[in-house]
Each structure stands twice: as structure tokens, then as C-alpha cells.
Amino acid sequence: MSTRLQRIAELAETKDRVFTSLAHLIDVDLLREAYRLTRKDGAAGADGLSGEQYAERLEENLRDLHERLRTRTYRATPVRRVYIPKADGGERPIGIPTFEDKIVQRAVALLLSPIYEGDFYDFSYGFRPGKGAHQALRDLREQSMALGGGWVVDADIRGFFDSVEHGTLLRILQQRVNDGGILRLIGKWLEAGYVESGSLHRPGTGTPQGGVISPLLANIYLHAVLDEWFAQEVQPRLSGRSILIRYADDFVIVCEKEQDARRVMAVLPKRMAKYGLTLHPDKTRIVRFRRPQEDKPARDGNGTVEFLGFTHHWTRSLRGYWVIKRRIARKARHRILQSLRTWCRHNLHLPVADQHRVLSRKLRGYYAYYGIRGTSKVLGYLLRFAHKQWKKWLSRRGGKRYFGWKAYTALADAWPLPPPRIVHPTV
């Protein structure tokens, strides 16, 4: 962390301090650091300019960008909207900003992060330095076991990134950052809208999921909407112990007592509605997740909890104790298999070396996320499925009717796919 960012963090330790002079810190040096931290190989935005093209005249571009920021002539470009498939068969919209907008957003995020990192609670894990999904999974398991399980409020915010109210977000920001220059920049990005099929849309709510600054804005919004409310108003009123684990807009609340879970469930929709958010009626529920008695089987109506792509369930350890274990959620497995099948089908024309490189990268990515204790068998199945699909679609190119296992075994020996591995043994 640079000296000035460290100074911001030190000043932010005073919780009631409001920062009114930050925009002047966005100079060429900060923009250059923001450029360094921005991915250069990402998809181009609406202007079609890639990171590599921007770098050809980097210093000139950064000086010009700084001048436009200084004179307030900088304009935010509408993001380019694309869609990616969801596990439930739907599609998730993603906004792709221009590379220049990514740089400015990164610069603003660099200034805001030291302020809010001191405010955020430890149970917030998404898109924060030193925290991540696997830490959230580990803490959910350990803290739930310490409680002996309980009743879980398994909530799902419907279309969070499309529902954030711009005015409410800006008012929340003003409680800590009341700098007109910074707020104007954020307002420009919120109001820029998106381009889809050649048409410009300005919906009036939401932050573009995919924008560089969107994860930070989401954390700031939910810190005020959920985290502070739960820690300062809800927990002190509950009769038993409780925990909240949140990763971006995915969260679960575990209550030691059923009556507490039902009280939280009764007020949670009202709290969300106050800030323009709604809970999905079919995906929000209370799950009985208590530890079974030591001398009885787990046939007492206990449910399972899905969180961050894993299904959490009670089972006996090798020593006979009741513990929480995790397996890859069924929806996540289906999504992975469908992705492998679709990719092999649509890319059967590529050279074998290119196919091998991409399939290997995909498998390593799955191992890197899903490689925790208890998932070895499923990861092994993913590898076998990848081999089966690769062979199947190799058989259908070049007019070949059949590509036997003997021929495929020779190919797989020459181009081996990476074996499964447990990347996170302590999660």
C-alpha cells in the first residue's frame, strides 16, 4: 500500500470521520497503478478498444485521461451487456466497461478500499483482500459445528446487481465519503446504462455486474443494508447464538434456536424492501440443520444447506463423531458437466494441442475451486467425463466414424489431462 493510501486507512480508523477531499489524489501516478492492476486480456467494451491497444500509447492516454478528470470533461461510456448461463437454466447479465473506464474505476476503488476495509465486518468475505470463498466455507463449517448446528435462514436476493437503488447507494456513500468529485464519477457509471443489440438502455437502478468497482459498491451497500443491521440490531435481540456468513450477495444466517430463525425470517424481507431489494420466494427458506444425537442415526428431518457451490450436510467422521462435511452441489456439478460437453462440441475443429490446452485450463480451474476435502471422487468423475467427451467429439470430425479407445488412449498419453487434486486441504 502506498504512503497516501496508508494515510487514508489510518484516518479511516476514526469511524465517524467523513472524507471530503479525495478526488484530487487521482493523478497520473494513481492511474498508472490502476492500469497495472487492471487485466489487459479482458473483453473489449462498447468502444472496441482492448488493453493491448490502450497500452500502445499508454503515457499519452493516461495524461489525457487525467486532464479530462481534472477538468470534469470525462464521460462514462455505457457498458456492453452480454449474458452467461446460470445453473438454473437462466442467464446472468454481465456488463463489460471500456478499458479506460476500468482504469478510472480501479483508481476510485483504490481510494475507497482503505476507508471501508476498516468498517466491514469479518463475516463479509467477498472481493476483499485476504478473504475469499474458501475462507467463508471453512468458517461456516467451523462456526456451525461450534453451535451444534441450528436453524439456517437460507436467503437469496433476487437480481441484486440490477436492484441497487442509485440514490440510496449515494446516500450510503456520503456517510463516509462526501467528496463531490468521487460521487460524480460513481454517479456517471451508475447512470451510463448499457448497450444491448445496438440499443442504449438506462434502467435507473442497479450496478453493472462485471464493472471493476461494482463488487466494492455491492459490499458497501450490503454492509449498510444487512451486516450492520444484523450485528447491531438483530443479534442483541436474539435469545441464542447466531452467525452471519456473507460472500457478496450470497449469505446464510445460522441461529442456535428455531424461534430466533423465525424472527429473523419475519423481518428480513421488510429490511430488504426498505432498500429496494427482494428475496426470492422459492429460494429463501428456513432449514433445520441441527447436529444429530450421538446415539441416533441422522433420520430426524435434518436438511442440507447449499452455499457457494457446495452442499453442507451432517455425517459421522471416521471416529464416529457427528461433523459437517461438504460435497459439490448438484447444480454446480450439472453446470460443470454441461460446460465441458458444450465446449468439446463447439470446438471439435480446433487442433488437438489447442483443445488440450483449454481443457486442461478448465479442469485446473475446477480443481482450484472445488478441490476441498471430501470431493476427490467427484473430481475424479469430472476428469473421466472430460476424457469421454473429448473422445466422443474427436470421433465426429474429419469424416471419421469411430475413434476407438486404443487410438484415444495413445492420444491421451501424448496429451495428458491434469489429474484431480485437493487444493484446499484445510477448508
Side-chain angles (χ1 to χ4, degrees), residues 58 99 131 202 207 263 344 405:
L58 178 61
F99 188 78
K131 289 182 174 290
R202 288 195 171 98
T207 63
R263 290 177 64 191
C344 289
W405 279 108

Side-chain angles (χ1 to χ4, degrees), residues 126-141:
F127 309 107
R128 296 181 57 193
K131 289 182 174 290
H134 294 98
Q135 187 176 350
L137 290 166
R138 183 187 66 236
D139 288 354
L140 175 60
R141 176 180 184 270

Side-chain angles (χ1 to χ4, degrees), residues 374-389:
T375 62
S376 298
K377 290 184 179 180
V378 176
L379 295 181
Y381 175 76
L382 294 182
L383 176 61
R384 294 192 298 273
F385 184 85
H387 277 297
K388 182 178 179 180
Q389 292 300 310

Side-chain angles (χ1 to χ4, degrees), residues 2 12 23 45 70 119 128 164 169 209 218 237 284 324-325 350 352-353 414 420:
S2 68
R70 188 184 66 82
D119 294 349
R128 296 181 57 193
V164 172
L169 173 58
Q209 190 173 0
R237 291 178 168 87
T284 301
I324 295 176
K325 291 188 177 181
L350 293 179
V352 171

Side-chain angles (χ1 to χ4, degrees), residues 271-323:
R271 177 67 180 182
M272 292 294 169
K274 182 179 178 181
Y275 291 86
L277 305 177
T278 57
L279 298 178
H280 198 296
D282 299 327
K283 298 180 180 179
T284 301
R285 57 182 185 145
I286 294 178
V287 180
R288 187 177 188 274
F289 196 61
R290 291 191 57 78
R291 178 174 59 201
Q293 297 182 24
E294 294 293 338
D295 58 344
K296 293 183 179 180
R299 292 198 299 268
D300 53 1
N302 259 352
T304 60
V305 176
E306 289 194 11
F307 187 58
L308 299 182
F310 292 88
T311 298
H312 300 68
H313 61 99
W314 284 98
T315 188
R316 289 190 183 275
S317 67
L318 294 176
R319 297 184 178 182
Y321 302 113
W322 287 111
V323 296

